[in-house]
Amino acid sequence: MTFTESDLDHIIKLAHLDVDAELRTQFLPQIQSILTHMESINQFDLSQVAPSATAFAAEMILRDDVVVPQGDLLLSQNAPVWRDSAFVVPRIN
Amino acid sequence: MSAYFGSAVELGIQFRNRTRRVVDVVSQLWAHHDRVEPSVKSYISTLKDASLEKATALDVQFDQGNDLPLLAGIPMAIKDNIHVLGTPTTCASQILKGFMPPFNATVSDRLLGQQAIVTGKTNLDEFAMGSSTENSSFHTSLNPWDTSRVPGGSSGGSAAAVASGQVVLSLGSDTGGSIRQPAAFCGVVGFKPTYGRVSRYGLVAFASSLDQIGPFTRTVEDAALVMESISGGDLHDATSSFMPVPAYYSQLKPRISGLKIGVPRELFGSEIDPGVKAKVVEALDLLKANGATWEEIDMTSLKAAVSTYYIIAPAEASANLSRFDGVRYGYRDQDADNLRDMFRKSRGTGFGPEVKRRIIIGTHVLSSGYYDAYYTKAQKLRSLIVADFAAAFQKYDVIMTPTTPSTAFSVSGYRDNPLAMYLADIATIPVNMAGLPAISVPCGLDNGLPVGLQIIGPAFSEQLILDVAAGYQGVFNFPTLMQSPMMRGN
């Protein structure tokens, strides 16, 4: 499969990234060669194989549904902008 | 008195019989740090004052004859993608600039509970994406055996800190070989546990179905000791296993005789440098001379393990790293005039090139029209890899391979060819895809650089792997034979 410049633009937009022109020029052939290499998976007959999200199915352990003290989550300390117990962000538009 | 370059187990004995004082050992290690760290650059941040304070307090307890845990007073470093309360977690990324974790990782809690002394946070490739630490946004760590070469990655700082004699042991994380590859490059022991054996709580996620935390040590006994301390279920990590944790250290029994070893041809062909292959054959023959048998086997799915990994890991990474958006923590671009612009500019400035490359690949393979062609197929191949290992373990006790196809490569050796660097993970990646435990132990030098032997076992066979590694250590005394020049005073 070919990975074109417009594919790159589309993915950069989807991923909320900013990639400068120099890096775009580097990325395009690099990602193309990586994706070409990935096509080695097509040498295997996978028609009868089930996909695995993890290596082995382990029993999922869940905590009791009770409130536990969280301690200081350092929200205000780590927030880029914090006001009136809330994260402040620019307007949507 | 020179710095202490022995094992944690021996050091613990000396603390107990008071032939060494904790504060002396920690002070000497900091003096050694001052000499070698400018050449190695293994740390991102250090905790010198806190470590000396804790050492002094522990000496009081040892003097009083208190019964302290086996890791009490042992200096150790932690990879900077694992939270330690009161210390920044950077993941070697500008996007986490200034971030203070609000809790300890479970492994940090457990080791601090054992009274180990944390000396600092070690360097890594940004968000653990890389094989050299060259993707760190702070600096590149260097190999203590040859400072023109990389220490490996992504946990290169943790490996270099142990190999340069700055700490007795350290923690890393392993998603595709990030403990075993730097351990091999730096001539130390590196252990990647079974997926779920060690809690991932407080490890900043890269690829959640593959990540595991494990130790770097100088001896197999120390690896067993750390594994015994950090393993076990954790209600904060739903994927952690509550299977009982064996007493890996106290039950350690060196084992070689009667051992059946399989060596996959797919990881033992022309892709392996002749010098590396020769050392691994020497190791296999040494095991054979001591009662083991080995033969080459076919595991055809391993041919596609790297491709499978570089679909699944970036896919998971692209989802995990979506949380870094400049809203709740980390770097934010302050000039954006709307929310979307803020996401884009913050992530554009905060992430380095390799992280961006993997987010792009991951987003692409998950996007409409490509999901089935890449991601679903990769998940099917994971099933084949798991099945291939299961079949091999029907016949063989353990699988052995070179840990890496080459010894440590030169700084900038792969700068313009990320695919070539990805392919260098050929021997370590299959283990993560199958969720298995594996250890890398030093097995000799090729042109003066360490070579690693990888020992892989079935899921939750940590004790077996440690026993076999201890058996090998018994006949090839690498802790004595393979001290880096920085520990020999050169």
Side-chain angles (χ1 to χ4, degrees):
Chain A
M1 281 181 229
T2 310
F3 187 75
T4 64
E5 205 167 339
S6 74
D7 289 330
L8 182 61
D9 289 341
H10 174 61
I11 295 299
I12 287 170
K13 191 177 171 191
L14 276 181
H16 296 295
L17 284 176
D18 202 5
V19 180
D20 64 30
E22 191 187 344
L23 209 50
R24 279 173 195 252
T25 308
Q26 282 177 33
F27 276 180
L28 196 58
Q30 288 173 348
I31 292 172
Q32 179 62 68
S33 72
I34 291 165
L35 292 173
T36 301
H37 183 82
M38 284 175 184
E39 286 168 15
S40 67
I41 62 176
N42 292 324
Q43 67 187 285
F44 293 88
D45 177 9
L46 300 169
S47 56
Q48 303 301 314
V49 181
S52 303
T54 56
F56 38 82
E59 187 189 352
M60 200 68 102
I61 306 286
L62 299 176
R63 281 176 279 172
D64 294 335
D65 189 15
V66 293
V67 175
V68 290
Q70 290 290 298
D72 183 358
L73 295 176
L74 307 180
L75 296 179
S76 60
Q77 184 179 337
N78 281 319
V81 184
W82 176 262
R83 197 184 309 142
D84 301 331
S85 299
F87 300 105
V88 180
V89 295
R91 297 177 65 84
I92 291 173
N93 282 308
Chain B
M1 202 169 178
S2 67
Y4 178 81
F5 299 139
S7 72
V9 168
E10 287 167 14
L11 187 56
I13 292 168
Q14 292 174 21
F15 286 157
R16 269 161 196 76
N17 65 25
R18 301 277 69 200
T19 51
R20 275 187 201 266
R21 297 185 69 76
V22 184
V23 74
D24 292 341
V25 168
V26 175
S27 303
Q28 288 151 9
L29 286 181
W30 283 118
H32 182 68
H33 164 91
D34 291 343
R35 285 192 294 276
V36 302
E37 177 66 359
S39 310
V40 182
K41 301 178 185 169
S42 53
Y43 283 100
I44 286 178
S45 58
T46 54
L47 295 163
K48 183 175 179 179
D49 292 344
S51 67
L52 287 165
E53 264 176 45
K54 176 134 186 206
T56 304
L58 282 169
D59 274 326
V60 172
Q61 293 202 48
F62 277 121
D63 286 340
Q64 291 170 346
N66 292 350
D67 186 21
L68 300 178
L70 292 176
L71 284 171
I74 305 297
M76 62 172 303
I78 295 183
K79 186 177 181 180
D80 201 14
N81 60 350
I82 298 171
H83 294 335
V84 176
L85 204 54
T87 309
T89 300
T90 69
C91 292
S93 179
Q94 294 302 313
I95 208 159
L96 269 176
K97 207 170 184 175
F99 174 72
M100 292 295 285
F103 55 87
N104 264 331
T106 296
V107 290
S108 304
D109 252 348
R110 289 179 177 173
L111 289 167
L112 290 167
Q114 292 275 311
Q115 311 266 32
I117 295 179
V118 178
T119 56
K121 306 292 291 294
T122 51
N123 194 29
L124 64 152
D125 289 288
E126 185 177 4
F127 285 104
M129 295 180 191
S131 306
S132 65
T133 71
E134 291 168 290
N135 297 327
S136 166
S137 75
F138 295 100
H139 52 256
T140 297
S141 299
L142 299 166
N143 193 309
W145 290 79
D146 176 349
T147 53
S148 71
R149 293 172 187 272
V150 301
S154 64
S155 314
S158 291
V162 174
S164 62
Q166 297 190 56
V167 281
V168 178
L169 51 92
S170 62
L171 283 188
S173 64
D174 191 316
T175 305
S178 286
I179 291 173
R180 291 158 288 151
Q181 184 254 25
F185 278 9
C186 290
V188 296
V189 175
F191 195 100
K192 182 259 170 205
T194 306
Y195 183 76
R197 181 71 295 185
V198 175
S199 167
R200 294 181 293 114
Y201 181 67
L203 166 70
V204 178
F206 162 13
S208 305
S209 74
L210 305 168
D211 299 337
Q212 267 292 281
I213 296 170
F216 290 92
T217 60
R218 297 196 185 113
T219 67
V220 175
E221 290 84 353
D222 285 3
L225 188 56
V226 177
M227 280 301 299
E228 198 172 312
S229 304
I230 64 174
S231 298
D234 176 15
L235 288 172
H236 288 108
D237 175 3
T239 63
S240 69
S241 169
F242 279 80
M243 280 175 65
V245 178
Y248 297 125
Y249 169 62
S250 54
Q251 290 179 13
L252 197 64
K253 287 191 198 109
R255 179 179 168 192
I256 300 178
S257 185
L259 196 69
K260 286 186 269 183
I261 303 165
V263 179
R265 280 191 187 87
E266 291 75 10
L267 307 179
F268 216 46
S270 57
E271 56 287 310
I272 306 298
D273 282 359
V276 169
K277 188 170 177 176
K279 286 294 155 193
V280 172
V281 169
E282 273 179 30
L284 291 166
D285 287 344
L286 183 59
L287 292 167
K288 188 176 173 184
N290 284 274
T293 55
W294 72 273
E295 61 183 344
E296 292 194 42
I297 59 173
D298 290 316
M299 294 178 69
T300 50
S301 67
L302 302 192
K303 285 181 196 163
V306 172
S307 298
T308 308
Y309 174 87
Y310 279 100
I311 294 170
I312 289 175
E316 294 185 10
S318 69
N320 277 326
L321 269 59
S322 63
R323 73 191 61 171
F324 300 103
D325 54 11
V327 174
R328 290 157 297 161
Y329 39 72
Y331 173 77
R332 174 189 293 190
D333 184 285
Q334 299 291 353
D335 296 329
D337 51 14
N338 64 56
L339 189 61
R340 233 174 241 281
D341 205 30
M342 187 198 80
F343 292 156
R344 185 175 60 77
K345 286 181 174 172
S346 301
R347 288 161 63 79
T349 304
F351 289 138
E354 180 62 25
V355 174
K356 288 181 183 175
R357 185 159 39 227
R358 295 203 196 192
I359 289 174
I360 290 168
I361 293 169
T363 306
H364 179 64
V365 300
L366 289 176
S367 65
S368 174
Y370 298 97
Y371 186 95
D372 286 335
Y374 289 111
Y375 189 64
T376 305
K377 277 187 188 168
Q379 287 195 313
K380 289 183 174 189
L381 253 163
R382 168 155 42 190
S383 303
L384 281 191
I385 294 167
V386 170
D388 257 3
F389 272 110
F393 288 127
Q394 293 290 315
K395 197 168 172 195
Y396 302 96
D397 299 307
V398 291
I399 307 292
M400 292 195 189
T401 75
T403 308
T404 56
S406 72
T407 52
F409 49 85
S410 298
V411 173
S412 302
Y414 288 117
R415 178 181 284 166
D416 300 320
N417 193 349
L419 178 59
M421 194 181 292
Y422 296 172
L423 292 172
D425 298 335
I426 183 172
T428 49
I429 275 174
V431 172
N432 300 77
M433 297 310 305
L436 302 174
I439 196 168
S440 179
V441 292
C443 68
L445 299 174
D446 177 30
N447 288 322
L449 294 170
V451 175
L453 170 71
Q454 180 174 230
I455 306 169
I456 308 165
F460 296 99
S461 70
E462 275 78 4
Q463 187 74 65
L464 167 68
I465 291 174
L466 290 162
D467 289 350
V468 173
Y472 178 67
Q473 182 183 272
V475 294
F476 181 72
N477 185 10
F478 55 78
T480 303
L481 294 173
M482 291 184 60
Q483 286 204 335
S484 80
M486 288 184 178
M487 290 199 285
R488 287 183 264 125
N490 298 325

